[in-house]
Amino acid sequence: MSGDMIQCSNLKKNYGHKKVLKGVDLNIPPGTIYALLGTNGAGKTTLIRTLLGLIPRSSGNVNILGSDPWQAGPNLRQRIGYVSEEQGLYGWMKIAQIIKFCRDLYPKWNSGFVASSLQRFGLAENTRIRTLSKGQKVRLALILALAPEPDLLILDEPMSGLDPLAQRDFLKILQQDAERTGRTIFFSTHDLHDVETIATHVAILFNGRIQATGALDAVRASIRRIRTTGQLKNLPPQVRELEVNKDGGVYLLPAADQAWPEITGANGDCQVVEDSPALLEEVFLYYCAGGDKA
Ligand code: ADP
C-alpha cells in the first residue's frame, strides 16, 4: 500500500456508447496540490465523480484514502471535502441554517474557522443563500467543505465563473489552507493560470486518458520548443508543429528526444536557431494535439 490519497488504474467510464474515461491511471500523494487540467468536455467532472463513488465506474480500480469509494460508507465521505461546480447549496436556507445542517453531519467541525472565515468574507449568517453572488456562494461552499477538517479536499472547477479578483482571493484561501494544514487538494480546471498559481503537481486529461502527470516543474520540463530556419517536411509522430511562417517553424517535442539532429538533417535547409524549454501552455497544447482518437 503506497500511502497515496487517491489511486486509480485503468479506470473506464462510459455513458451508454460514449467512452469518456478510457483507462485513467493516477496517483495523488499526500500533501500535494494536484491540478487536473483538461479542456471543456475532457471528462474532469466524470473522473472526479467516479473517484468519489458518486457515479459507478464501468471498470478499473479506484482507491481513495485506502477504500474503494463505491463500497465505502459515510466514514470515508466524512474525511473528504468536496465542492462541485454547482456547489449544491440549498437556496432557501440562510447561512446559519446550512452551517448547522452540515455541522450535524460530521464528527469534527472547526467552528472557529467558520466564524473567522465568514467575517473575513463579509458573509452575514442571516443572509438567504439564493441572494448570494456566485463568488460568495463559492466561498461559502469552500468554508463548509473545510470546516470538518477533511484529509482530502476535492474541487471541481471551483474558479469557473468567478471574476479575476474573486478568483485570486479563492486561490489565496486554498494556498493558505494547504500551508496551514498540509492538506491534500485535488482540483480540476481548464485554466492554466490556476495551475501556475497554486498547483505543485498536474495531470493532463485528454482523449479519456492522463497524457502527462507529476510535479509541475517536471511536466513543464518534459517538452521543449525548437525554432528552425526553413520548414520541416514529414513530421515524425513525436513532433508537433506550433507555427510556421516564411522565416521557418516552431516545433514542440519531448525533451528527452534524441532524434532531433537527424530530423533536421533529413530536411536539408533546416537549421535549429533556438532550443528552449516550452511554456506550460505549449506543454498543454502538445499533449492535447493528438486529435480525439477512439
Ligand atoms: P469536463 O468536466 O471535463 O468538462 P465532463 O465530465 O462534464 O467533462 O463531460 C465529459 C463528456 O461526457 C462530455 O462529452 C459530456 O457531454 C459527457 N457527459 C457527462 N455527463 C454525462 C451523462 N450523465 N450522460 C451522458 N453524457 C455525459
Side-chain angles (χ1 to χ4, degrees):
M1 165 94 198
S2 68
D4 285 332
M5 306 297 273
I6 301 175
Q7 266 185 313
C8 69
S9 56
N10 205 17
L11 173 60
K12 296 184 180 169
K13 174 67 187 174
N14 310 328
Y15 293 113
H17 293 299
K18 186 176 177 118
K19 295 177 179 171
V20 176
L21 305 178
K22 301 176 188 170
V24 170
D25 298 310
L26 198 57
N27 294 322
I28 309 295
T32 51
I33 304 182
Y34 223 112
L36 175 66
L37 181 62
T39 50
N40 288 327
K44 301 181 295 298
T45 298
T46 301
L47 176 55
I48 285 178
R49 292 176 65 79
T50 313
L51 291 174
L52 285 166
L54 296 174
I55 52 173
R57 57 191 185 257
S58 302
S59 63
N61 298 310
V62 179
N63 186 301
I64 185 161
L65 302 179
S67 307
D68 180 333
W70 193 247
Q71 313 285 341
N75 286 352
L76 178 66
R77 297 277 160 81
Q78 286 169 350
R79 297 175 59 205
I80 303 171
Y82 168 51
V83 179
S84 68
E85 223 176 337
E86 312 80 38
Q87 293 102 47
L89 302 171
Y90 298 111
W92 55 269
M93 282 190 181
K94 292 187 172 176
I95 290 180
Q97 288 173 301
I98 201 153
I99 288 172
K100 178 169 182 336
F101 176 79
C102 293
R103 188 180 59 208
D104 292 347
L105 297 173
Y106 293 95
K108 271 197 286 182
W109 189 261
N110 189 335
S111 301
F113 165 81
V114 173
S116 63
S117 303
L118 290 179
Q119 196 178 21
R120 175 176 167 190
F121 302 137
L123 294 169
E125 292 205 24
N126 62 355
T127 313
R128 190 93 43 200
I129 287 168
R130 68 165 163 265
T131 67
L132 297 174
S133 70
K134 162 94 182 161
Q136 287 172 318
K137 280 187 192 144
V138 174
R139 288 185 184 93
L140 177 61
L142 183 63
I143 295 171
L144 295 172
L146 288 175
E149 313 231 303
D151 298 321
L152 173 63
L153 179 65
I154 297 185
L155 308 154
D156 190 2
E157 302 241 18
M159 273 72 77
S160 73
L162 295 189
D163 64 63
L165 276 183
Q167 201 172 341
R168 204 174 62 175
D169 197 28
F170 190 88
L171 289 171
K172 207 188 286 171
I173 307 166
L174 279 186
Q175 201 160 34
Q176 284 170 354
D177 175 72
E179 279 166 12
R180 186 176 62 85
T181 62
R183 200 185 324 276
T184 309
I185 300 176
F186 181 58
F187 73 99
S188 67
T189 183
H190 59 267
D191 189 337
L192 293 158
H193 172 261
D194 298 343
V195 182
E196 300 264 22
T197 309
I198 59 163
T200 59
H201 290 64
V202 64
I204 298 175
L205 178 65
F206 178 71
N207 194 21
R209 293 190 178 84
I210 301 296
Q211 306 287 338
T213 187
L216 180 57
D217 287 344
V219 171
R220 207 191 268 120
S222 66
I223 299 299
R224 68 194 220 250
R225 179 189 343 108
I226 295 210
R227 185 182 295 279
T228 59
T229 59
Q231 292 173 20
L232 289 178
K233 323 272 177 321
N234 307 323
L235 284 187
Q238 78 278 21
V239 179
R240 307 253 190 280
E241 181 183 285
L242 193 60
E243 65 178 68
V244 290
N245 56 40
K246 61 179 175 37
D247 300 322
V250 181
Y251 302 92
L252 300 172
L253 77 161
D257 194 287
Q258 302 294 323
W260 187 248
E262 290 103 80
I263 298 166
T264 40
N267 277 268
D269 58 345
C270 263
Q271 304 285 327
V272 174
V273 286
E274 194 183 311
D275 185 342
S276 53
L279 302 171
L280 184 62
E281 184 188 348
E282 294 163 345
V283 172
F284 183 56
L285 281 174
Y286 180 88
Y287 287 114
C288 300
D292 197 7
K293 299 182 271 318

